Amino acid sequence: MESIQEARERLPIFKAKAEIIEAVQKSKTTIFVGETGCGKTTQIPQYLLEAGFAKHKCIAVTQPRRVAAVTIATRVAQEVQTELGSKVGYSIRFENVTSPATKIKFLTDGMLLRESVEEPLLLEYSVVILDEAHERTLNNDLLLGISKKAQKVRQEQSMMPLRIIVMSATLDAQHIAKYFNNAPMYAIHGRDYSISNEDDGDILVFATGQEEIDYLVSETKLAAMELPIGIPKIHALGLYAALPSDQQIDVFKPAPKGARKVIYATNIAETSITIPNIKYVIDTGKVKAKFFNSVCGFDVLRTQAISKAQAEQRAGRAGREFDGYCYRLYTKEQYKKFKDQTEPEIRRFCLSRHSSNFKNGISNIAEFFIEKPQRCDFKTFNIEASILLLKQLNAVVDKDGNLELTEDGKKMVTFPLDPRFSKMIITSSKYKCTIEILTIISILCVESLFYSKSSERETFNEVKKKFEAVEGDHIMLLNVFRQFKKFKGNPGWCEENYINTRNMRKAMHIREQLKRLCAPAGIPLCSNLCTMKIRKCLASGLFMNAALLHEKNTYKTVEGNQEVKIHPSSCLFKKTNLSCVIYTELVLTSSVYMRYVTYIPEEMLVSVNQKYFKEKPCRLSTTKPQIFANNH
């Protein structure tokens, strides 16, 4: 049986080990381009560790996705022959498996972004490796600018130098080299195995989203039951970002004896992660991408054709451990019409969650990015709307052309959350309902707490009524949490009430993490069952997510005047006399729907931010704020 060291030496990248180390020593910024399967993600951090680059500090390796950070760290820890969390560890949202001994730290790009807010010079690290740069995620683009600035300041102040390594699986990296003052680029040739036809092996199918994947898994299981005797059994699994991590890990486990795995996955499986025993890839040529509508203020998920770069990445999944084969469900003519590269997220996403990273004296935000947001003049950039949101939340102020965090803003960045959620936590100390707000936010951070089959929809709707609240969905979530704790998460009770136990326990874990973050921010853990105060605290973060009754069952948003409806899953869905509501998010299906909706009197809403509503062309501009008694 091949040893771990023999497997490492067999990788195409091993032949270039000396050249890689020399390249990093020569230049403060280096770009490595190597196709999927060459070994760059797992091996380059180890080469740098062996060469002494982590002698006094740590090597950071970013990944776009949680599952990639965890699985790659696990593999590298095995190769380094250390316990995970010791010399090699990982850090993802609400989970930190590192120690003072950690020298190679895999982390999501979002986690490194959060660290950069607290420590803009990234002083914990001697090397920052930004992996999967070809995906052009918003987080990665931000990190390019942040690490470049940190590198420059550390050099100017004669501090320990920061080396930056950018890794990409496609050759279209010249724009990155130019951004880093024409940094040298190196190509790593070869892959571990070719892509060809073999008889045995598991199958990876690229699909577009959770609903489609759940359907395909269900149909495959039904079809597998009718296979003739003698045909290998099918073990169907799904893989998508919203899937609980313990279920994501299932795809990495061997198939049952005598069975073949068929994995239906979103583009989460395109890069970095290696699912064992995949020989066949079926590429549908489609992907579901998120676009932010800056006029209406909500995200739209849209199914579209993949890029040529994505097509190559998907094919590469078939040649990670042995020769494989890729079936493409589109013609050559269709392929020719694909874009060469995936459109960067910076052109598609809302930037409000990331704008707090600009506190560090960045005066020209448009020039900070490797590529300007959106496509028009700066006045129409999503970033302008994002910064306006942060100003409305009193998170940042503009001082002499530089954005700086306010005292509230400094507290808000303590929490790895949407700034609107962070604002609620800050305000909760005023209304003495921090525990209730943390509970609601924690539940909103996971997928739905309820689950039901379509055949049981009527029964589910009846059972759900016991949790519903006249105030709306956010209070309903509190009711579910309290009952779950009362019955101590009893499996029988959860099944009877259609409660997703895994998601509820995940929410409880997040809640504990957020509670621990409150003390450093100076927020006392108070509890208050007054739903009026809880709703007012919710509105302190969601006041821009307000809608006024327009016609029967139809509302118009205060921000953007968008016509919206209450989502059918809401406990307020059939209510017709609600003059004003706040919501957590908007989704577009057959109509634009508000999800997680709470009724709030107009006077109460206006009292949260009088200045904001006074400037709005709606009836709230003349509404008098409610006087809220302290002892209510």
Side-chain angles (χ1 to χ4, degrees):
M1 185 175 178
E2 185 180 51
S3 69
I4 289 179
Q5 186 58 32
E6 287 172 339
R8 290 186 65 198
E9 292 178 2
R10 183 172 41 76
L11 289 169
I13 196 172
F14 182 73
K15 297 175 183 177
K17 179 178 178 179
E19 288 83 355
I20 289 171
I21 294 172
E22 183 182 359
V24 177
Q25 287 172 333
K26 281 183 177 180
S27 180
K28 60 184 181 181
T29 302
T30 317
I31 300 166
F32 291 112
V33 177
E35 63 180 305
T36 297
C38 72
K40 61 185 182 301
T41 299
T42 58
Q43 301 309 302
I44 288 181
Q46 293 185 66
Y47 295 165
L48 299 183
L49 177 66
E50 293 165 8
F53 283 93
K55 190 174 295 182
H56 303 293
K57 293 185 182 292
C58 185
I59 298 170
V61 189
T62 67
Q63 294 297 321
R65 300 176 181 87
R66 294 164 54 100
V67 65
V70 175
T71 55
I72 297 169
T74 303
R75 173 62 185 178
V76 172
Q78 291 173 347
E79 294 185 359
V80 175
Q81 298 182 355
T82 184
E83 184 180 348
L84 187 62
S86 182
K87 190 178 288 188
V88 178
Y90 67 85
S91 177
I92 60 178
R93 195 173 182 228
F94 301 119
E95 188 176 350
N96 184 9
V97 184
T98 63
S99 69
T102 300
K103 291 299 182 182
I104 299 178
K105 180 178 176 181
F106 290 89
L107 68 172
T108 54
D109 41 24
M111 287 305 298
L112 187 58
L113 265 180
R114 184 187 169 205
E115 289 183 14
S116 74
V117 175
E118 295 298 316
E119 180 43 76
L121 297 184
L122 304 172
L123 292 176
E124 180 184 342
Y125 306 107
S126 56
V127 182
V128 169
I129 300 177
L130 304 175
D131 199 7
E132 310 296 356
H134 57 276
E135 287 200 24
R136 296 304 308 276
T137 65
L138 177 55
N139 284 346
N140 201 288
D141 276 8
L142 282 166
L143 285 173
L144 289 172
I146 289 167
S147 57
K148 179 182 178 181
K149 187 170 190 294
Q151 184 186 67
K152 180 181 178 182
V153 173
R154 281 167 64 164
Q155 182 177 2
E156 289 173 347
Q157 297 183 4
S158 301
M159 305 169 73
M160 178 176 283
L162 174 66
R163 283 185 164 81
I164 300 170
I165 296 175
V166 183
M167 300 201 297
S168 173
T170 65
L171 291 171
D172 184 36
Q174 288 84 356
H175 61 294
I176 299 176
K178 183 178 179 181
Y179 180 71
F180 283 100
N181 304 315
N182 298 315
M185 287 178 55
Y186 300 89
I188 303 168
H189 298 287
R191 57 183 299 118
D192 206 358
Y193 295 93
S194 63
I195 304 171
S196 60
N197 197 358
E198 295 289 339
D199 293 331
D200 299 323
D202 296 333
I203 302 169
L204 174 61
V205 185
F206 283 99
T208 59
Q210 176 179 345
E211 185 175 338
E212 181 182 56
I213 288 172
D214 287 342
Y215 171 78
L216 290 169
V217 169
S218 176
E219 289 298 302
T220 301
K221 287 179 177 178
L222 290 174
M225 294 171 65
E226 300 178 3
L227 288 174
I229 296 174
I231 300 294
K233 295 179 181 179
I234 296 294
H235 184 54
L237 297 165
L239 179 63
Y240 45 83
L243 198 67
S245 54
D246 55 339
Q247 295 181 46
Q248 289 182 343
I249 296 298
D250 287 344
V251 304
F252 299 97
K253 299 174 182 176
K257 190 174 181 180
R260 184 199 298 264
K261 276 193 301 186
V262 177
I263 298 165
Y264 296 95
T266 61
N267 59 335
I268 190 175
E270 276 182 9
T271 58
S272 287
I273 63 172
T274 297
I275 302 174
N277 206 46
I278 295 295
K279 279 195 176 183
Y280 299 96
V281 165
I282 299 176
D283 179 12
T284 59
K286 299 292 183 181
V287 67
K288 191 170 284 187
K290 183 187 290 186
F291 292 81
F292 178 68
N293 186 321
S294 58
V295 177
C296 302
F298 62 89
D299 291 324
V300 177
L301 278 174
R302 193 167 72 202
T303 300
Q304 62 180 33
I306 60 174
S307 66
K308 292 176 182 176
Q310 284 178 287
E312 295 306 310
Q313 284 292 102
R314 292 182 173 190
R317 297 295 97 190
R320 298 305 299 268
E321 295 187 324
F322 25 61
D323 294 347
Y325 197 83
C326 179
Y327 294 90
R328 288 174 166 169
L329 305 186
Y330 43 87
T331 65
K332 287 184 178 180
E333 290 304 311
Q334 289 173 317
Y335 175 80
K336 289 177 183 177
K337 295 178 183 178
F338 290 175
K339 294 179 180 179
D340 289 335
Q341 300 292 329
T342 306
E343 186 175 17
E345 287 183 355
I346 200 167
R347 294 182 185 172
R348 302 186 275 116
F349 276 26
C350 176
L351 306 180
S352 62
R353 289 191 61 178
H354 310 276
S355 299
S356 57
N357 288 284
F358 307 136
K359 69 163 190 161
N360 303 310
I362 300 169
S363 56
N364 191 338
I365 293 173
E367 295 302 321
F368 171 79
F369 290 103
I370 186 172
E371 182 168 344
K372 289 185 179 181
Q374 294 247 353
R375 290 175 289 274
C376 306
D377 60 282
F378 185 68
K379 292 181 181 179
T380 63
F381 289 167
N382 282 342
I383 194 168
E384 191 172 77
S386 303
I387 292 173
L388 177 61
L389 168 62
L390 291 173
K391 287 181 177 179
Q392 295 283 9
L393 292 172
N394 190 36
V396 299
V397 291
D398 195 330
K399 288 188 176 180
D400 301 323
N402 293 334
L403 287 176
E404 293 185 8
L405 291 178
T406 62
E407 287 304 311
D408 274 2
K410 291 174 183 177
K411 293 179 180 179
M412 287 166 63
V413 297
T414 303
F415 302 94
L417 298 167
D418 184 295
R420 289 168 288 198
F421 289 174
S422 300
K423 179 66 174 182
M424 293 178 205
I425 297 176
I426 303 303
T427 312
S428 67
S429 60
K430 175 182 178 181
Y431 300 113
K432 303 187 185 305
C433 58
T434 302
I435 292 296
E436 287 70 29
I437 291 298
L438 292 181
T439 301
I440 293 169
I441 290 173
S442 300
I443 296 174
L444 292 173
C445 285
V446 302
E447 291 300 303
S448 175
L449 292 187
F450 297 107
Y451 74 92
S452 65
K453 299 176 182 177
S454 55
S455 59
E456 301 174 353
R457 184 63 61 184
E458 288 187 14
T459 307
F460 165 69
N461 288 336
E462 285 300 313
V463 169
K464 185 183 172 187
K465 286 180 181 178
K466 71 174 72 172
F467 303 110
E468 292 180 351
V470 293
E471 297 91 346
D473 300 324
H474 296 97
I475 305 301
M476 180 186 71
L477 297 180
L478 268 180
N479 294 340
V480 176
F481 184 86
R482 289 172 184 148
Q483 290 298 306
F484 182 85
K485 286 195 72 176
K486 178 181 176 181
F487 288 94
K488 299 179 180 179
N490 180 275
W493 179 85
C494 290
E495 184 176 353
E496 178 185 329
N497 290 280
Y498 296 91
I499 301 297
N500 187 318
T501 309
R502 287 193 180 96
N503 285 353
M504 181 58 91
R505 294 198 183 280
K506 184 177 180 182
M508 294 182 74
H509 174 70
I510 292 172
R511 181 173 177 263
E512 291 305 308
Q513 295 280 336
L514 293 176
K515 283 170 67 176
R516 285 195 284 271
L517 293 173
C518 284
I523 301 170
L525 296 175
C526 303
S527 179
N528 192 327
L529 300 181
C530 174
T531 58
M532 287 189 70
K533 290 192 175 184
I534 294 171
R535 283 186 289 163
K536 195 166 186 182
C537 188
L538 290 169
S540 71
L542 297 177
F543 61 87
M544 294 180 74
N545 291 21
L548 302 175
L549 185 63
H550 175 57
E551 296 173 346
K552 184 180 179 182
N553 300 327
T554 303
Y555 294 77
K556 281 200 172 181
T557 59
V558 173
E559 190 72 28
N561 202 35
Q562 171 72 40
E563 192 170 290
V564 295
K565 298 179 180 179
I566 295 177
H567 197 276
S569 64
S570 171
C571 64
L572 299 181
F573 176 58
K574 294 184 179 180
K575 303 293 182 183
T576 57
N577 59 343
L578 306 176
S579 63
C580 180
V581 296
I582 54 175
Y583 56 87
T584 299
E585 63 183 359
L586 295 177
V587 293
L588 174 64
T589 52
S590 54
S591 299
V592 180
Y593 287 105
M594 300 179 284
R595 292 189 71 229
Y596 296 110
V597 183
T598 287
Y599 163 68
I600 185 166
E602 295 179 16
E603 299 84 359
M604 183 192 295
L605 179 62
V606 171
S607 66
V608 170
N609 194 324
Q610 297 179 47
K611 183 176 183 293
Y612 172 77
F613 290 108
K614 191 175 182 180
E615 297 171 352
K616 290 297 166 185
C618 65
R619 63 176 182 261
L620 293 182
S621 62
T622 57
T623 302
K624 293 184 178 180
Q626 179 182 9
I627 304 300
F628 207 65
N630 291 330
N631 59 355
H632 186 86

